[in-house]
Amino acid sequence: MIAANQPKFNFSRCSSLHLRWVFDIFENFVLPCVQVGGELGAESSKLSGKRRAPGFKVAILGAAGGIGQPLAMSMKVLHLYDVVNAPGVTADISHMDTGALVRGFLGQPQLESALTGMDLVIMPAGVPREPGMTRDDLFNINAGIVRTLGEGISKCCPNAIVNLISNPVNSTVPITAEVFKKAGTYDPMRILGVLGFDPRKVSVPVVGGHSGVTILPLLSQVKPSCSFTPQETEYLTNRIQNGGTELVEAKAGTGFATLSMAYAAVKFADACLRGLRGDAGVIECAFVASQVTQLSFFASKVRLGRGGAEEVYQLGPLNEYERNELEKAKKELAGSIQKSISFITKLTTKENLNDHACLEVYMMP
């Protein structure tokens, strides 16, 4: 919500779509001085509307990255963590005249301090997807990062809601779930994969997963209702599935989806905070533990509340094209989920063997 005395920006002559996103974030999230951590001050206590969610503590893991920085600017969160440059980002953010307290944390030794007492943890940490890089390439790098951060969350704030942005989301959500299971603190409703869909005047449920053929737009359920030819359905589905790839290619090796993903992450985090506050009817799409299909994780509409994703909605009626595409999505997702579980299982087995070997050495006469 925009305060009455704040100016509205005119974008009519703005030619850069990314610049429009930046101003949109600034106008809708920074100017209102949203309070997401610490105590409400006099300035923020005057605000009204759905974006005010007082008293909750929020941390960003990966706050110095391409998504983390605009995300931190937009949310003015309490704790910013990264393995590099966190103090600089914190100093920069601190010059914004809002009431929230911002603290920076640098490197593994400060991870527990960054996480202790958090209500919401947003994780864009890891390397970005670059031209020519497959989801498997991302997995090989980011799986270990997500595992380490997940261990910190499960230890320091196991009841926090976790918003996972780290790619590939189809794998990082199951990895985080396995970490929490190992720690004995797993709550499937609190680990949510952020999908980044932003319907405005047209609403299309997008289910399945986070990449490629696992992204399934249910065009038969579009609102306002309309019909598409088979050719139009195929074209729109492909465009939606490959939106991230198009963006990476458009940046010609100079970047990836940062501003748009940060904007989507802010909206999703805001929805989580409204759910924590007890607002009714907070509906978003998320990649979560699910019984919608035979897969253990699946993306669909969920109702957010104080416990996280308190209700996972069924898919609704599908046409023949969508049923066929759903089978393709499930096959791809099954491989990603199993790969994640195997990754944690192998690491755990290796750690147990190492512990056993150390014990034998210790007991030798």
Side-chain angles (χ1 to χ4, degrees):
M1 175 164 297
I2 306 301
N5 61 343
Q6 297 291 354
K8 293 284 285 184
F9 291 102
N10 181 2
F11 297 121
S12 61
R13 290 184 289 180
C14 180
S15 59
S16 169
L17 181 57
H18 290 166
L19 187 58
R20 291 169 66 96
W21 278 328
V22 171
F23 280 141
D24 200 5
I25 291 173
F26 187 81
E27 182 183 20
N28 285 288
F29 295 99
V30 177
L31 288 179
C33 307
V34 178
Q35 180 79 20
V36 295
E39 299 300 323
L40 274 174
E43 180 182 23
S44 55
S45 65
K46 298 175 183 177
L47 300 175
S48 61
K50 68 178 184 180
R51 298 207 179 279
R52 180 161 60 95
F56 297 114
K57 295 182 178 180
V58 184
I60 295 178
L61 307 184
I67 295 174
Q69 289 195 46
L71 174 57
M73 181 194 78
S74 305
M75 296 213 54
K76 200 64 163 64
V77 297
L78 188 67
H79 285 189
L80 306 180
Y81 171 86
D82 214 319
V83 293
V84 294
N85 299 331
V89 175
T90 304
D92 201 353
I93 295 291
S94 71
H95 284 278
M96 293 162 48
D97 60 344
T98 61
L101 173 66
V102 180
R103 297 181 61 194
F105 300 85
L106 181 64
Q108 184 70 26
Q110 296 186 9
L111 178 60
E112 291 189 9
S113 297
L115 289 170
T116 300
M118 295 296 105
D119 299 297
L120 174 66
V121 179
I122 310 171
M123 192 193 301
V127 302
R129 185 183 179 193
E130 298 177 353
M133 183 179 285
T134 66
R135 297 281 169 177
D136 283 340
D137 295 332
L138 278 176
F139 179 92
N140 292 333
I141 300 171
N142 287 347
I145 297 172
V146 170
R147 180 218 183 193
T148 297
L149 297 177
E151 288 175 341
I153 300 168
S154 66
K155 178 180 179 180
C156 301
C157 52
N159 295 320
I161 293 176
V162 182
N163 289 180
L164 277 154
I165 304 170
S166 304
N167 271 318
V169 171
N170 291 352
S171 297
T172 55
V173 169
I175 285 174
T176 306
E178 290 300 310
V179 169
F180 272 69
K181 288 177 184 178
K182 182 181 176 183
T185 57
Y186 179 55
D187 182 345
M189 296 191 300
R190 294 182 178 273
I191 300 175
L192 314 175
V194 181
L195 301 178
F197 306 121
D198 183 22
R200 298 261 179 164
K201 294 181 180 179
V202 177
S203 175
V204 180
V206 183
V207 302
H210 184 262
S211 62
V213 297
T214 69
I215 299 173
L216 178 56
L218 303 182
L219 295 170
S220 65
Q221 300 180 24
V222 63
K223 294 180 181 180
S225 179
C226 63
S227 60
F228 302 99
T229 66
Q231 294 77 16
E232 289 171 337
T233 299
E234 184 77 25
Y235 173 78
L236 289 171
T237 299
N238 288 334
R239 287 297 305 276
I240 293 169
Q241 289 177 339
N242 295 301
T245 301
E246 286 185 7
L247 200 157
V248 170
E249 291 174 349
K251 290 192 173 183
T254 62
F256 60 106
T258 53
L259 300 175
S260 54
M261 193 64 237
Y263 179 70
V266 169
K267 294 189 67 176
F268 190 82
D270 176 74
C272 289
L273 291 172
R274 287 187 280 122
L276 283 170
R277 186 173 60 184
D279 290 13
V282 182
I283 309 296
E284 294 287 338
C285 284
F287 186 65
V288 296
S290 172
Q291 296 181 343
V292 169
T293 70
Q294 67 269 38
L295 300 174
S296 52
F297 296 89
F298 198 79
S300 61
K301 287 185 176 181
V302 300
R303 178 177 57 80
L304 298 172
R306 289 192 170 98
E310 295 186 336
E311 183 176 3
V312 179
Y313 293 101
Q314 298 296 314
L315 300 182
L318 308 181
N319 61 30
E320 182 179 0
Y321 176 84
E322 292 163 348
R323 288 193 294 270
N324 291 334
E325 292 300 303
L326 176 61
E327 293 307 310
K328 297 178 186 177
K330 289 195 294 186
K331 182 178 180 180
E332 182 76 16
L333 275 173
S336 296
I337 294 168
Q338 185 55 50
K339 185 175 183 178
S340 306
I341 296 172
S342 298
F343 170 78
I344 295 296
T345 301
K346 288 178 182 178
L347 284 178
T348 302
T349 301
K350 183 178 180 180
E351 290 169 352
N352 290 340
L353 288 174
N354 288 339
D355 290 344
H356 182 69
C358 291
L359 181 60
E360 287 184 339
V361 171
Y362 176 76
M363 295 179 65
M364 288 178 63

